[in-house]
Amino acid sequence: MAEREVDRSVSQTVKAQLALRDQILDGSLRPGERISELQAVETTGASRTPVRMALVRLEEEGLLEAIPSGGFMVKAFSERDISDSIELRGTLEGLAARFAAERGVSARELEPLKECLAAIDELLRQVPISIEAFSSYVTLNARFHAQLTELSRSPPLIRQIDRASALPFASPSGFVMAQSALPEAQQILIIGQEHHRVVIDAIENREGARAEAVMREHARLAVRNLRLALRNRTHLDLLPALALIKTATD
Amino acid sequence: MAEREVDRSVSQTVKAQLALRDQILDGSLRPGERISELQAVETTGASRTPVRMALVRLEEEGLLEAIPSGGFMVKAFSERDISDSIELRGTLEGLAARFAAERGVSARELEPLKECLAAIDELLRQVPISIEAFSSYVTLNARFHAQLTELSRSPPLIRQIDRASALPFASPSGFVMAQSALPEAQQILIIGQEHHRVVIDAIENREGARAEAVMREHARLAVRNLRLALRNRTHLDLLPALALIKTATD
DNA sequence: CGCGGTCAGTTTGTATACATTCAGATGGAT
DNA sequence: ATCCATCTGAATGTATACAAACTGACCGCG
């Protein structure tokens, strides 16, 4: 019953959306169960109108599913669903990279990407990589992908990539923290960084096919991480949205 | 002021969404202008609550844009935006076709696609192609693309393709009617149908790369149609959502 | 003993009233 | 004359009350 006074500047709808998303991702709201609007009103502090707005937005975001008879339930995802979502994002990022390469990008525009690249290089120099470094990697990697997407200068494509990356496990840095526990962690980061380096080089040289291919392969690396993290059950809890994943053990 | 009695079975939200979408596409609501909720209440017959729900959904659909200070406005699209949206859809359909090819599809599942193919073949046999035939083509073509998407058996991918096809000018049959006025119309349909034939053959033989490539090229054909239709100003009015297109002449 | 229908409770969907914020205009000061 | 501040009207965002629909259970019937 504390902190009922949540920042007046953000709308109740946004507050409800954030609160509900947290509840979904941490498993408070379980897949398959209908979400009670009354209960959501209780837990979020907003009234029913903004709560319902938030539910609609979360449905579009892909976390909820409309029930034909009314209301919404939390969606469940199979391992295949997740890997397909990652490959989907990779395909779109590949298209963005190809557009950037084919349409041309000035040195100015590439500058921030190269800074990102250098910063990640710096991070990877330390052996072994600390947990803090993993955390910084997540930030820098997200920035790199966002900037790369922007290079396409295609609003419709940027929009779709953002939507595809909205699912926590499909986002570019989704599994980085989960992989930090793996023995292969460092190698994987190094390989990923090589992909980053190649895509910049390809864009610079206007090699569209190469830029596209490497981003696709980059996503496949993420799929591999997913598999490894799911198999290596010791640090399963680092997986984002673990509660939404349909496992055979359930 | 007539037909105030619109089917009780569908929700007010859906009614408002359909009505507003129509108004957007036919240009009653013009790009850049803020949409007045009160006015929307007047024209749709629903109250503000379902109208606001509809506005949120139309934003997610891509037809509206949120105004930072509140409310929504109709989005405007450049020719580049549209061609990128088409290529985006083509890329996703390419991925779907590749998934289908790589993962394998039974003869049973391919059956409805082949029926569609045969039906379109039948249509194209008549020369010249009648307006009614164009109209039938639109239906059959939409069904073909929908079934092809399903073949991927990937819910996340199907979902994204549906979202990408929601914009009227990005949908698989978006420009077919507009092209009916072009002299090249028949050739274009024949080439498009050849793409359909090839993608089925590729999937049958599990040639993923070929299936993917041909769907991408198929979308490029649609981009070519767009260009032709925009240049051939005699039948511009057949273009879907013409009112949303930013032209240099405006 | 199983199945179907009816009824009550609860939930969602809708309408409307209220609060708050934004846009535009008007007036004053520099 | 221009710029800024204040004010007013209107629009959006929120809360709540009402209506309709669905869920589940209980009872009766086959």
Side-chain angles (χ1 to χ4, degrees):
Chain A
M1 283 296 169
E3 82 263 342
R4 255 297 136 82
E5 24 159 338
V6 213
D7 210 340
R8 266 276 184 62
S9 62
V10 324
S11 72
Q12 296 295 95
T13 300
V14 171
K15 270 198 292 185
Q17 189 175 353
L18 294 175
L20 287 173
R21 187 188 305 160
D22 283 346
Q23 292 179 32
I24 293 166
L25 296 183
D26 73 14
S28 313
L29 296 168
R30 290 206 310 226
E33 282 180 11
R34 173 192 234 123
I35 293 188
S36 160
E37 293 181 4
L38 273 81
Q39 189 179 325
V41 165
E42 293 276 327
T43 60
T44 64
S47 80
R48 272 190 66 212
T49 305
V51 161
R52 300 191 89 239
M53 290 301 232
L55 291 174
V56 170
R57 296 202 121 104
L58 288 168
E59 182 204 4
E60 309 286 343
E61 196 173 316
L63 289 175
L64 297 183
E65 201 174 339
I67 300 171
S69 63
F72 299 93
M73 61 185 228
V74 178
K75 224 192 256 184
F77 297 86
S78 67
E79 185 176 338
R80 167 58 68 86
D81 288 339
I82 296 175
S83 66
D84 280 2
S85 296
I86 295 173
E87 194 152 354
L88 178 56
R89 169 180 58 80
T91 302
L92 294 176
E93 287 182 334
L95 183 61
R98 177 162 69 83
F99 277 175
E102 290 175 351
R103 296 172 182 179
V105 167
S106 69
R108 278 196 58 139
E109 292 172 297
L110 269 177
E111 196 53 42
L113 272 282
K114 288 185 174 174
E115 282 170 18
C116 239
L117 196 74
I120 297 178
D121 272 334
E122 188 60 36
L123 270 184
L124 296 185
R125 204 153 289 151
Q126 44 172 302
V127 187
I129 299 169
S130 66
I131 285 292
E132 295 76 34
F134 268 100
S135 178
S136 305
Y137 180 87
V138 167
T139 309
L140 288 167
N141 184 59
R143 191 188 303 163
F144 184 91
H145 281 258
Q147 287 171 339
L148 176 65
T149 300
E150 290 286 339
L151 280 193
S152 71
R153 267 179 291 172
S154 172
L157 180 54
I158 293 170
R159 179 182 152 87
Q160 281 287 76
I161 292 178
D162 286 344
R163 301 171 79 70
S165 307
L167 291 174
F169 41 71
S171 91
S173 310
F175 290 109
V176 173
M177 288 315 290
Q179 86 183 247
S180 69
L182 299 175
E184 307 92 330
Q186 198 192 345
Q187 295 173 37
I188 291 175
L189 290 195
I190 290 174
I191 296 168
Q193 172 74 340
E194 170 65 10
H195 291 156
H196 293 165
R197 202 184 320 280
V198 168
V199 74
I200 289 183
D201 190 61
I203 291 173
E204 223 166 3
N205 295 315
R206 311 196 68 154
E207 302 169 293
R210 182 171 171 234
E212 177 160 21
V214 76
M215 287 314 291
R216 287 181 168 222
E217 193 55 39
H218 193 53
R220 292 301 295 259
L221 186 62
V223 171
R224 203 159 106 206
N225 283 348
L226 164 65
R227 297 254 152 77
L228 285 171
L230 280 177
R231 300 298 174 269
N232 178 4
R233 336 212 86 218
T234 59
H235 289 76
L236 256 189
D237 55 318
L238 288 174
L239 275 181
L242 177 64
L244 305 186
I245 303 179
K246 284 184 274 197
T247 68
T249 63
D250 261 354
Chain B
M1 284 299 168
E3 83 263 339
R4 253 298 137 81
E5 23 158 339
V6 213
D7 212 343
R8 265 278 183 62
S9 62
V10 320
S11 72
Q12 296 295 94
T13 301
V14 171
K15 270 198 292 185
Q17 190 175 354
L18 294 175
L20 286 172
R21 188 188 300 155
D22 283 346
Q23 292 179 32
I24 293 167
L25 297 182
D26 73 14
S28 313
L29 296 168
R30 291 208 307 231
E33 280 179 12
R34 173 193 234 122
I35 293 188
S36 160
E37 293 180 6
L38 275 80
Q39 191 180 322
V41 165
E42 293 276 325
T43 59
T44 64
S47 82
R48 272 191 66 214
T49 305
V51 161
R52 300 192 88 240
M53 291 298 233
L55 291 174
V56 170
R57 296 203 122 105
L58 288 168
E59 182 204 5
E60 308 286 343
E61 195 173 317
L63 289 174
L64 297 182
E65 201 174 338
I67 301 172
S69 64
F72 299 93
M73 60 185 229
V74 179
K75 223 191 256 187
F77 297 86
S78 67
E79 185 176 336
R80 167 57 69 86
D81 288 339
I82 296 175
S83 65
D84 281 2
S85 297
I86 295 172
E87 194 152 353
L88 179 55
R89 169 180 58 78
T91 302
L92 294 176
E93 287 182 334
L95 184 60
R98 178 162 69 82
F99 277 174
E102 291 176 349
R103 297 173 182 179
V105 167
S106 69
R108 279 196 58 139
E109 292 173 298
L110 228 44
E111 196 53 41
L113 272 282
K114 288 185 173 174
E115 282 170 17
C116 239
L117 196 75
I120 297 178
D121 272 335
E122 188 60 35
L123 270 184
L124 296 184
R125 205 154 286 152
Q126 45 171 300
V127 186
I129 299 168
S130 66
I131 285 291
E132 295 76 31
F134 268 100
S135 178
S136 306
Y137 179 87
V138 167
T139 309
L140 288 168
N141 184 58
R143 189 188 305 163
F144 184 90
H145 281 259
Q147 287 170 340
L148 176 65
T149 300
E150 291 286 341
L151 280 193
S152 71
R153 267 179 290 172
S154 172
L157 180 53
I158 293 170
R159 179 182 153 86
Q160 280 286 80
I161 293 178
D162 285 345
R163 300 172 79 69
S165 307
L167 292 174
F169 40 71
S171 91
S173 309
F175 291 107
V176 173
M177 288 315 291
Q179 85 182 249
S180 69
L182 299 174
E184 306 92 330
Q186 198 193 344
Q187 296 173 38
I188 291 176
L189 290 195
I190 290 173
I191 297 169
Q193 172 74 341
E194 168 66 9
H195 291 156
H196 293 165
R197 202 183 321 280
V198 168
V199 75
I200 288 183
D201 189 62
I203 290 173
E204 224 166 2
N205 295 314
R206 311 195 68 154
E207 301 169 295
R210 182 172 171 232
E212 176 159 22
V214 77
M215 286 315 291
R216 287 180 169 223
E217 194 55 40
H218 192 54
R220 291 301 294 260
L221 186 62
V223 171
R224 203 159 106 206
N225 283 350
L226 164 66
R227 298 254 152 76
L228 285 171
L230 280 176
R231 301 296 174 272
N232 179 4
R233 338 212 86 219
T234 58
H235 288 78
L236 255 191
D237 53 319
L238 288 175
L239 275 181
L242 177 64
L244 305 186
I245 303 179
K246 285 184 274 197
T247 69
T249 63
D250 261 354

